[in-house]
Amino acid sequence: DAMQDKIKYLNELEEKLAKVTNERDQALADNKLLREQVDDLTTRLQRSETEKQALKDRVLQLEEELKEARAEIARLNKLVDELTQQNSSLTQQLHAANCDVNA
């Protein structure tokens, strides 16, 4: 009778050990999966940081191009003003010459 109690107790211990082993194996599998997810997210974060820096660099480049374009527009506007003044002066000279011819 005592022997059967010991066998029963050992069987219960084996069942508990099997349960704990299964839980441990599941926890290890879950841990591995979580590590893989963390690694994936870390890789994605690093890629995003690289892309973010590339976009910042592109914005700086575009800002420089915009600055240059504005300077060119200002130069062209100045040239237009100068040509307009020359045109006005030439028109006045032509008008004066016509008046002289007609007089």
Side-chain angles (χ1 to χ4, degrees):
D1 202 27
M3 187 65 138
Q4 282 189 339
D5 287 343
K6 287 182 181 181
I7 291 173
K8 182 179 176 186
Y9 177 69
L10 286 175
N11 286 337
E12 289 173 1
L13 287 178
E14 283 180 355
E15 287 176 17
K16 288 179 182 180
L17 178 61
K19 183 179 178 185
V20 168
T21 300
N22 287 338
E23 289 173 356
R24 184 203 66 196
D25 290 346
Q26 184 60 48
L28 289 173
D30 292 346
N31 189 12
K32 181 182 177 190
L33 179 62
L34 288 173
R35 275 194 314 244
E36 289 170 357
Q37 290 174 343
V38 167
D39 289 346
D40 179 57
L41 289 173
T42 301
T43 300
R44 289 168 56 187
L45 177 61
Q46 291 169 343
R47 191 177 312 125
S48 293
E49 290 295 330
T50 301
E51 291 171 1
K52 178 181 166 185
Q53 186 58 49
L55 288 173
K56 282 183 176 181
D57 293 344
R58 180 65 178 138
V59 165
L60 292 175
Q61 179 186 2
L62 289 172
E63 286 175 346
E64 185 60 31
E65 291 175 14
L66 179 60
K67 181 180 169 185
E68 292 171 4
R70 285 181 174 154
E72 181 66 9
I73 288 170
R75 186 188 70 77
L76 292 172
N77 281 335
K78 184 178 177 185
L79 181 60
V80 166
D81 289 344
E82 291 171 0
L83 291 173
T84 301
Q85 288 175 357
Q86 287 178 6
N87 186 36
S88 177
S89 177
L90 290 173
T91 301
Q92 288 174 358
Q93 291 174 13
L94 181 62
H95 182 67
N98 281 338
C99 287
D100 288 344
V101 168
N102 291 334

